[in-house]
Amino acid sequence: MVTSQEFEQLLRSQEHAEVAALGENSWLVTMEGSVRQKINLAVVQRPDRVSFYFFMVRAPRENREAFYRALLRKNLRTFAMKYCLDGDGDVWLAAELPIRGFDGEELDRILGVFYQESESAFEALVHLGYPGVFPPLSGQARGPLPIPAEPNPN
């Protein structure tokens, strides 16, 4: 059995993640994103498993059928995690992995899966569920602006 302190140390050993305690056997793990500025995962250590929860997007206003069909199709290809709905229809990503054998490599893998899915799917889901409400992110500057090139003296 992994103690709560050992598990927290495992979380804190992740190079690209900040960890804050939420309560007994639960933590907030935050990673920097590019599409989403912050990727916040709630992580809960249970006696037999580790649970991960990530808020993806609010319930769609339009195109509900196509939106939910897209989520079901995404569930076919995701590793270890699934798209889920809460009572308001908001979309979450959730994963539950056995605690037995859970190590730094498995933690790194599941954090990578959440990172990749949140970064790759967010914009498409927003535009499908809220058409015309948000401008495309691909045209917006992300991060620091590039340094302008030196003017050509010729």
Side-chain angles (χ1 to χ4, degrees):
M1 173 77 180
V2 177
T3 68
S4 180
Q5 289 174 324
E6 292 169 332
F7 188 79
E8 183 170 348
Q9 189 61 32
L10 180 65
L11 291 173
R12 292 187 185 282
S13 72
Q14 292 298 301
E15 188 176 325
H16 301 288
E18 296 176 22
V19 178
L22 290 175
E24 188 175 340
N25 297 331
S26 62
W27 299 267
L28 177 67
V29 175
T30 303
M31 298 178 286
E32 294 292 326
S34 58
V35 174
R36 304 198 53 168
Q37 292 179 347
K38 300 272 187 196
I39 298 165
N40 294 311
L41 288 155
V43 181
V44 181
Q45 178 192 14
R46 303 180 193 282
D48 61 338
R49 67 191 183 277
V50 182
S51 302
F52 297 84
Y53 305 100
F54 171 73
F55 176 80
M56 183 59 136
V57 67
R58 294 273 176 222
R61 289 187 187 163
E62 297 180 33
N63 302 321
R64 285 179 175 82
E65 186 176 320
F67 184 89
Y68 293 128
R69 184 178 11 217
L71 295 181
L72 288 171
R73 287 187 175 137
K74 286 178 176 299
N75 273 345
L76 290 173
R77 66 168 177 76
T78 56
F79 168 79
M81 63 169 206
K82 298 297 174 206
Y83 282 86
C84 306
L85 304 178
D86 66 13
D88 296 323
D90 295 340
V91 179
W92 291 76
L93 294 175
E96 293 200 337
L97 301 172
I99 191 96
R100 186 181 190 134
F102 192 85
D103 59 13
E105 187 176 308
E106 189 65 17
L107 177 59
D108 187 56
R109 180 183 0 237
I110 195 67
L111 291 179
V113 168
F114 273 92
Y115 179 87
Q116 179 61 35
E117 195 64 27
S118 68
E119 290 288 287
S120 66
F122 177 72
E123 186 172 4
L125 290 174
V126 166
H127 290 295
L128 185 59
Y130 296 86
V133 175
F134 301 101
L137 296 174
S138 56
Q140 296 178 355
R142 294 188 190 130
L145 294 174
I147 297 172
E150 289 292 322
N152 189 347
N154 295 339

